[in-house]
């Protein structure tokens, strides 16, 4: 007679980490699997307890809270707040951190900085939106780009022209209205006075936050000290994603970077070399990690026993 074999059910949602079996001479052997209390953080490349981790809402990737906090702080400090992608470069769902998750990882002061920078970035990207020009008001208004039409701020009730950002001028073009108010100190900004007097010099406004920036020396690649926005000094085009400085290879800003071709070539070589070195390190370390991982898991299992 063939003896029957009995096995307990294994939960589908638990990972197999430790198997415990009991047997006796009078009863069949039963095995069960304990759910894992550890996870592997792909930022610090180490195993952490599940209590020290945080799972992202949109992609369910899990990282330790300390690594996520440093990742968010670094992104905010560099002005990268429009999108905070999942730190896992191979994330299948291409998840992003939500505002609620950011608020849980940083303090109140840093979170408010994140909110302000995000609003500024959203307005700068969307040409149908603009900040209210009234001093002290942070309201966001909508309109048609390049069209002179009245726009009323919902926060303070101020009505202005969406095209020139001046008070609404009925029956007058933006140019005519600026000529009318040119003699009035209350209707002219400081930067407009400098432009009209020819004393503007190397002084321009940041295209993102409108803070005045003076260029004393150096190349045409500028970074705003207020919002960390990187742009071209000549045409004010954004260079946030142009790490190779290809912007200065064509168009009206061709060869206007302010550096020689040799220094530009050296910069690009250093960028490529940096990426190549990082890829080589990952390639070299991968077999080593694969070899040492079973040893680490075995040692932890032995310690638990």
């Amino acid at each position: 007679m063939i003896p029957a074999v009995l096995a307990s059910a294994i939960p589908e949602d638990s990972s197999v980490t430790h198997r415990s079996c009991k047997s006796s001479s009078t009863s069949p052997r039963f095995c069960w699997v304990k759910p894992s209390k550890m996870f592997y953080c792909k930022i610090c490349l180490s195993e952490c307890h599940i209590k020290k981790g945080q799972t992202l809402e949109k992609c369910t990737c899990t990282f330790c809270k300390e690594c996520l906090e440093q990742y968010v702080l670094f992104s905010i400090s560099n002005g990268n707040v429009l999108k905070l992608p999942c730190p896992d470069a191979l994330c299948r769902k291409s998840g992003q951190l939500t505002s609620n998750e950011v608020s849980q990882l940083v303090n109140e002061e840093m979170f408010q900085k994140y909110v302000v920078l995000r609003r500024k970035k959203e307005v700068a990207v969307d040409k149908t939106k603009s900040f209210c020009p009234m001093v002290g008001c942070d309201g966001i208004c909508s309109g048609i780009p390049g069209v002179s039409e009245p726009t009323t701020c919902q926060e303070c009730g101020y009505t202005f022209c969406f095209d020139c950002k001046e008070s609404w001028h009925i029956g007058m073009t933006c140019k005519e209205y600026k000529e009318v108010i040119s003699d009035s100190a209350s209707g002219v900004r400081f930067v407009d006075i400098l432009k009209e007097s020819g004393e503007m010099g190397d002084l321009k406004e940041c295209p993102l936050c409108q803070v005045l920036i003076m260029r004393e020396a150096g190349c045409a690649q500028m970074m705003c000290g207020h919002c960390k926005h990187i742009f071209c000094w000549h045409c004010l085009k954004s260079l946030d994603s142009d790490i190779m400085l290809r912007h200065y290879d064509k168009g009206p800003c061709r060869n206007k970077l302010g550096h020689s071709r040799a220094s530009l070539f050296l910069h690009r070589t250093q960028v490529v070399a940096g990426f190549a070195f990082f890829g080589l390190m990952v390639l070299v370390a991968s077999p080593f990690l694969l070899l040492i991982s079973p040893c680490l898991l075995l040692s932890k299992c032995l310690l638990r026993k």
Side-chain angles (χ1 to χ4, degrees):
M1 183 176 179
I2 302 175
V5 179
L6 301 178
S8 61
I10 299 177
E12 297 181 356
D13 57 344
S14 62
S15 57
V16 179
T17 57
H18 179 60
R19 174 171 291 180
S20 177
C21 300
K22 294 182 180 180
S23 63
S24 64
S25 59
T26 59
S27 62
R29 182 168 179 154
F30 293 90
C31 299
W32 67 91
V33 178
K34 293 183 179 180
S36 173
K37 293 183 179 180
M38 306 292 291
F39 72 94
Y40 184 74
C41 177
K42 293 186 178 181
I43 300 180
C44 60
L45 304 179
S46 61
E47 287 195 348
C48 307
H49 197 277
I50 195 66
K51 292 183 179 180
K52 296 183 178 180
Q54 179 165 337
T55 302
L56 301 186
E57 179 182 340
K58 293 189 175 181
C59 62
T60 66
C61 294
T62 304
F63 307 92
C64 58
K65 293 182 180 179
E66 293 183 2
C67 292
L68 275 180
E69 180 182 355
Q70 294 301 319
Y71 170 71
V72 173
L73 289 174
F74 179 80
S75 299
I76 296 175
S77 300
N78 286 273
N80 301 324
V81 295
L82 264 185
K83 293 181 180 180
L84 287 177
C86 173
D88 185 2
L90 301 179
C91 179
R92 295 181 179 180
K93 297 183 180 179
S94 300
Q96 297 179 12
L97 275 77
T98 63
S99 297
N100 185 38
E101 291 170 336
V102 174
S103 65
Q104 296 174 3
L105 292 168
V106 300
N107 56 38
E108 183 64 23
E109 180 181 356
M110 187 59 67
F111 180 69
Q112 291 301 322
K113 181 179 179 180
Y114 162 80
V115 172
V116 173
L117 285 177
R118 183 179 175 85
R119 291 184 67 192
K120 290 181 178 180
K121 290 276 187 179
E122 289 175 346
V123 173
V125 172
D126 191 354
K127 299 302 180 182
T128 63
K129 294 182 179 180
S130 173
F131 281 109
C132 174
M134 179 61 68
V135 178
C137 180
D138 294 327
I140 298 178
C141 307
S142 300
I144 303 176
V147 177
S148 179
E149 61 178 7
T151 303
T152 302
C153 176
Q154 301 298 323
E155 297 290 334
C156 64
Y158 177 64
T159 302
F160 63 97
C161 174
F162 190 80
D163 188 22
C164 66
K165 305 299 184 292
E166 300 287 353
S167 299
W168 174 237
H169 39 84
I170 303 176
M172 301 175 64
T173 64
C174 297
K175 184 177 180 180
E176 292 173 346
Y177 181 72
K178 285 186 176 182
E179 290 178 354
V180 171
I181 65 173
S182 62
D183 296 332
S184 173
S186 60
V188 182
R189 297 183 304 162
F190 174 69
V191 65
D192 294 329
I193 297 175
L194 293 177
K195 288 180 180 179
E196 292 178 2
S197 61
E199 298 178 0
M200 191 69 174
D202 286 341
L203 187 67
K204 292 185 179 181
E205 291 179 284
C206 171
L208 185 60
C209 64
Q210 282 74 51
V211 170
L212 290 178
I213 301 175
M214 176 175 288
R215 179 192 176 197
E216 296 181 350
C219 65
Q221 183 192 26
M222 303 295 296
M223 175 185 284
C224 176
H226 180 255
C227 66
K228 307 301 181 182
H229 176 58
I230 302 175
F231 61 96
C232 172
W233 180 259
H234 301 295
C235 64
L236 302 181
K237 184 178 179 180
S238 176
L239 300 178
D240 284 328
S241 58
D242 189 8
I243 60 174
M244 300 295 289
L245 299 178
R246 304 282 305 192
H247 173 72
Y248 299 98
D249 289 342
K250 56 183 178 180
C253 297
R254 177 182 173 87
N255 298 328
K256 291 184 178 181
L257 177 61
H259 289 294
S260 63
R261 300 295 297 179
S263 61
L264 181 59
F265 176 78
L266 178 61
H267 166 77
R268 291 174 177 173
T269 303
Q270 290 174 344
V271 173
V272 174
F275 281 107
F277 177 77
F278 178 76
L280 182 62
M281 291 296 295
V282 173
L283 186 63
V284 172
S286 296
F288 176 74
L289 293 175
L290 290 175
L291 290 174
I292 200 174
S293 295
C295 300
L296 293 175
L297 292 176
L298 181 60
S299 63
K300 289 193 175 183
C301 291
L302 294 175
L303 289 174
R304 288 180 182 177
K305 290 181 180 180

